[in-house]
Amino acid sequence: EAGVAQSPRYKIIEKRQSVAFWCNPISGHATLYWYQQVLGQGPKLLIQFQNNGVVDDSQLPKDRFSAERLKGVDSTLKIQPAKLEDSAVYLCASSLTTRSSGELFFGEGSRLTVL
Amino acid sequence: DAKTTQPPSMDCAEGRAANLPCNHSTISGNEYVYWYRQIHSQGPQYIIHGLKNNETNEMASLIITEDRKSSTLILPHATLRDTAVYYCIVRPNYGQNFVFGPGTRLSVLP
């Protein structure tokens, strides 16, 4: 079974530039999450989708971050314009539904460095 | 905020059992205890979860105290590949997302 795919693995940009991350969840998984993980901390939820609808985006900085999940499969997370404090690993995860056994499957993450 | 408290770091000798504690004194009756781990440069990986009974799978055992205010994750024979950050999470088994704290950094020493 293929896992959660993310790209790019690494990205370096200058502040005020824009960046986009892509995630392809496990086939059939209705729920998709984007987490931000700053060095030395645990992952923090940015946004949760159920199919192509947003369930929770309360911690998404909406002035600069946006995410979409068209057709309820792949998802894209965009940052525009980036700030220095956005340097982090962006993790995508998926699960069958929010009412599953609770097992989240994570991708390897996209590491962003903002200079 | 995370509803759990874990020691920031622990060491364990290779081949010995690793016992990772977690305090969750404010846990509610419908909340499960989950454990994930994160090996360097990888995404978190599910280990095990439970409600009130002890649980065991091929990776680990989960011991939950009778009052459910604390739990212990046991890796019976730790190997160098078990070196990782271990996260203990309290969550209802539906709906809400997983809130990760800083976890416990386990170092398995040769």
Side-chain angles (χ1 to χ4, degrees):
Chain A
E1 176 181 88
V4 176
Q6 291 189 246
S7 67
R9 284 297 312 276
Y10 305 93
K11 188 72 175 180
I12 300 173
I13 61 173
E14 296 188 348
K15 59 183 179 183
R16 291 187 289 274
Q17 288 187 323
S18 63
V19 63
F21 302 112
W22 172 83
C23 173
N24 180 239
I26 293 173
S27 177
H29 280 197
T31 309
L32 185 147
Y33 307 76
W34 282 101
Y35 283 84
Q36 179 193 58
Q37 186 171 25
V38 174
L39 187 64
Q41 298 180 18
K44 183 187 80 171
L45 181 73
L46 292 176
I47 189 167
Q48 176 184 342
F49 292 94
Q50 179 74 14
N51 295 310
N52 60 353
V54 176
V55 174
D56 182 358
D57 65 355
S58 58
Q59 297 190 81
L60 186 73
K62 299 180 184 64
D63 58 334
R64 299 183 300 106
F65 286 65
S66 64
E68 60 182 10
R69 191 183 183 198
L70 300 176
K71 301 180 181 179
V73 182
D74 293 5
S75 178
T76 302
L77 176 71
K78 297 180 181 179
I79 308 174
Q80 181 179 10
K83 292 186 175 181
L84 296 178
E85 59 261 36
D86 298 333
S87 294
V89 176
Y90 292 86
L91 293 160
C92 179
S94 70
S95 66
L96 277 173
T97 70
T98 55
R99 293 181 179 268
S100 69
S101 66
E103 187 170 356
L104 292 186
F105 294 85
F106 281 85
E108 292 189 318
S110 296
R111 181 178 298 276
L112 173 65
T113 301
V114 182
L115 304 177
Chain B
D1 291 337
K3 299 175 67 173
T4 62
T5 304
Q6 300 177 252
S9 64
M10 293 181 62
D11 292 340
C12 176
E14 186 179 19
R16 304 297 294 270
N19 297 291
L20 292 94
C22 179
N23 287 321
H24 31 79
S25 58
T26 61
I27 192 170
S28 300
N30 65 338
E31 291 181 316
Y32 284 67
V33 180
Y34 290 80
W35 284 83
Y36 278 74
R37 74 179 183 183
Q38 188 172 24
I39 295 170
H40 183 61
S41 296
Q42 297 182 20
Q45 173 192 25
Y46 168 82
I47 301 173
I48 198 167
H49 77 287
L51 181 62
K52 55 183 179 181
N53 297 320
N54 297 338
E55 302 288 343
T56 296
N57 63 20
E58 65 278 5
M59 290 182 68
S61 295
L62 173 60
I63 308 298
I64 303 174
T65 58
E66 191 169 344
D67 64 6
R68 300 208 326 120
K69 293 184 177 182
S70 66
S71 61
T72 301
L73 179 74
I74 301 173
L75 308 178
H77 306 286
T79 70
L80 299 179
R81 287 177 293 183
D82 292 322
T83 292
V85 178
Y86 287 77
Y87 299 99
C88 170
I89 301 165
V90 165
R91 174 190 184 259
N93 198 29
Y94 57 89
Q96 296 180 14
N97 78 84
F98 288 82
V99 179
F100 288 80
T104 295
R105 182 172 299 277
L106 175 68
S107 298
V108 180
L109 307 175

